[in-house]
Amino acid sequence: MGVDPRTQTAADKANPKPIYAVWELTMRCDHACAHCGSRAGAPRPDEVDDETLLSTADALAAAGTREVTLIGGEAYLHPRVFDVTRRLRSHGIRVSLQTGGMGLTPRMAAKLVDAGVRSVGVSIDGTEATHDTLRDRPGSHAAGMRAIANARVAGMHVTSNSQVNRLTEPVLVETAALLEAAGVQIWRAQLTVPMGRAADRPDWILEPWQIPGVMDTLGAIQLDAARRAHAEGIPVERMFSVMAGNNLGYFGPNEFILRSRPGGNAVTWRGCNAGKSVLGIESDGTIKACPSLPTAPYVGGNVRDTDLMQAWAEHPALRFVRDRTTEELWGFCATCDYAERCRAGCSFTAHCTVGRRGNNPFCDHRARTLARRGVRERLERVEAAPGAPYDFGRFRIVEEPLPSQG
């Protein structure tokens, strides 16, 4: 899900607008995932009222938004999810849903489609044992797989998203096979970042030196899917496709394979879109340049009392990607050949890991470059997260010699 920068017009680039918004309707959730970045479970005590929900939908339309993904918690647990969807659809905005799938029954799926939801991304984090451990709820994997089937029957376009961490990395091949067999066409792999509850489990976070192995595995899955599709006469637009999320990869040998659409032009990472074409809204009304950004450093106003278009145009917390230069970069990223194009990759990943933007250790090109020099990087936690929604601690990057191969 999300805006494809290739669909942006010249006018969009000259006059950036929040083409794609991710809207957290509620923190209420039927899971309490052990890696949840927002620490969802119970609703916030100050979630916005019904009138503000509808006026926010109107404000997004006025700002030029074309697609909204509703999230939670679980968006379908909000009593006004159908009203919000209909309001967005009345403005011609495409509406999608991101879900863990526990309550996406046939009846719920049909009601969402009736309201105007056209696509859904179901989170499946590995095989059953791995998924249920991460989701901290036995039976959640089976529920997610049922949700995929229910959404397909209801007529939704169904994608799946998976967290990549130390638990899921060993079962990526099995996960891909499971999702392809379930009829999922697009599988997005996203790196687990030490934010929220995931920050409390540093033992689950991949080490930077593991990124090339992950990318090689995902690239091999994609190439195998392409070979099978060709042999079976499946059109490229219908083949199973693996896509690297915004915080996974960067400029390694699998970059084109995992960031380009099958049959389309070759694409590489083009930089963070926070505040360029992406907007996030939290359920208490907080506005951010990206839904994944940690809240405290990136509040750009609140929908209760902020003019959305004015904030988008003027607030530094929403403009930072538009305004920054390579002077923000430090460490390896400041010396990288891709510095101008990449700007240290995903902003929230860098900030939540090392405490500020500008130096991202989770980089394929970086890890391979260091390996050629005989070294690798690992993370060492120096500060724990305080325990608030969308919070983070801090790690330091430790460089060490590559282990002996003998």
Side-chain angles (χ1 to χ4, degrees):
M1 294 183 186
V3 67
D4 185 339
R6 291 164 291 183
T7 67
Q8 292 180 257
T9 66
D12 291 336
K13 294 175 182 178
N15 182 29
K17 60 187 69 172
I19 296 171
Y20 177 57
V22 178
W23 189 354
E24 176 197 89
L25 289 187
T26 180
M27 284 270 277
R28 182 183 174 193
C29 194
D30 45 23
H31 285 85
C33 298
H35 63 309
C36 179
S38 66
R39 300 183 184 269
R44 299 176 193 258
D46 57 347
E47 293 184 344
V48 299
D49 58 65
D50 294 351
E51 182 179 350
T52 304
L53 285 172
L54 297 180
S55 65
T56 299
D58 298 338
L60 287 169
T65 301
R66 298 176 194 163
E67 179 178 352
V68 171
T69 293
L70 302 177
I71 65 168
E74 276 291 358
Y76 58 64
L77 293 178
H78 196 288
R80 299 301 296 274
V81 63
F82 307 113
D83 296 327
V84 170
T85 299
R86 291 189 180 97
R87 189 65 157 252
L88 291 167
R89 290 295 302 132
S90 74
H91 292 296
I93 296 174
R94 178 180 173 85
V95 182
S96 57
L97 184 80
Q98 182 62 40
T99 178
M102 181 63 70
L104 195 62
T105 62
R107 182 172 180 270
M108 176 59 75
K111 290 178 68 176
L112 288 166
V113 169
D114 182 66
V117 175
R118 293 293 174 262
S119 61
V120 62
V122 181
S123 296
I124 300 293
D125 294 324
T127 52
E128 183 173 12
T130 300
H131 179 103
D132 286 358
T133 297
L134 284 164
R135 299 277 158 181
D136 202 22
R137 181 165 180 174
S140 63
H141 183 271
M145 297 306 295
R146 287 195 300 270
I148 290 173
N150 294 339
R152 293 186 70 210
V153 169
M156 294 184 190
H157 175 69
V158 183
T159 64
S160 188
N161 309 277
S162 295
Q163 293 283 311
V164 182
N165 50 53
R166 291 197 206 182
L167 276 67
T168 63
E169 184 271 336
V171 294
L172 289 173
V173 173
E174 293 88 342
T175 306
L178 185 75
L179 294 173
E180 184 175 8
V184 170
Q185 187 178 337
I186 297 176
W187 177 40
R188 289 185 176 86
Q190 191 83 2
L191 191 67
T192 300
V193 174
M195 181 170 73
R197 293 193 191 110
D200 304 335
R201 297 303 304 261
D203 54 315
W204 286 359
I205 305 301
L206 286 175
E207 295 289 5
W209 57 263
Q210 293 179 282
I211 299 301
V214 168
M215 298 301 289
D216 286 346
T217 298
L218 294 174
I221 294 170
Q222 176 68 99
L223 291 175
D224 181 63
R227 283 191 291 267
R228 286 186 286 106
H230 178 72
E232 297 168 17
I234 299 172
V236 291
E237 65 272 12
R238 291 178 51 203
M239 63 175 276
F240 179 74
S241 299
V242 186
M243 303 294 291
N246 291 333
N247 72 347
L248 188 59
Y250 313 131
F251 301 107
N254 298 285
E255 182 76 1
F256 292 142
I257 297 170
L258 296 173
R259 232 175 270 286
S260 308
R261 288 181 174 176
N265 295 328
V267 174
T268 64
W269 169 251
R270 298 186 179 187
C272 179
N273 277 313
K276 290 179 66 179
S277 57
V278 175
L279 180 74
I281 302 173
E282 295 183 7
S283 59
D284 63 354
T286 298
I287 305 167
K288 299 189 298 188
C290 169
S292 299
L293 286 167
T295 300
Y298 291 100
V299 175
N302 192 290
V303 296
R304 288 186 170 99
D305 53 22
T306 301
D307 181 285
L308 187 62
M309 294 180 72
Q310 183 176 0
W312 175 265
E314 300 175 3
H315 201 292
L318 302 183
R319 290 189 54 95
F320 74 90
V321 171
R322 284 173 269 169
D323 294 340
R324 68 183 178 181
T325 68
T326 53
E327 293 181 4
E328 177 182 275
L329 303 180
W330 56 283
F332 181 96
C333 290
T335 68
C336 182
D337 292 340
Y338 298 106
E340 181 65 39
R341 295 165 63 186
C342 183
R343 306 290 177 93
C346 172
S347 298
F348 106 88
T349 299
H351 200 135
C352 288
T353 304
V354 296
R356 61 187 173 107
R357 302 188 307 267
N359 188 24
N360 188 343
F362 297 111
C363 171
D364 193 11
H365 167 73
R366 173 175 178 156
R368 293 177 195 269
T369 299
L370 292 175
R372 288 193 292 271
R373 299 174 186 170
V375 297
R376 70 181 190 182
E377 292 176 324
R378 61 177 175 86
L379 299 175
E380 184 176 279
R381 188 167 73 164
V382 295
E383 183 179 342
Y390 298 100
D391 64 344
F392 60 98
R394 184 168 60 85
F395 292 76
R396 72 184 184 99
I397 302 168
V398 179
E399 189 175 285
E400 61 186 16
L402 280 175
S404 168
Q405 300 299 312

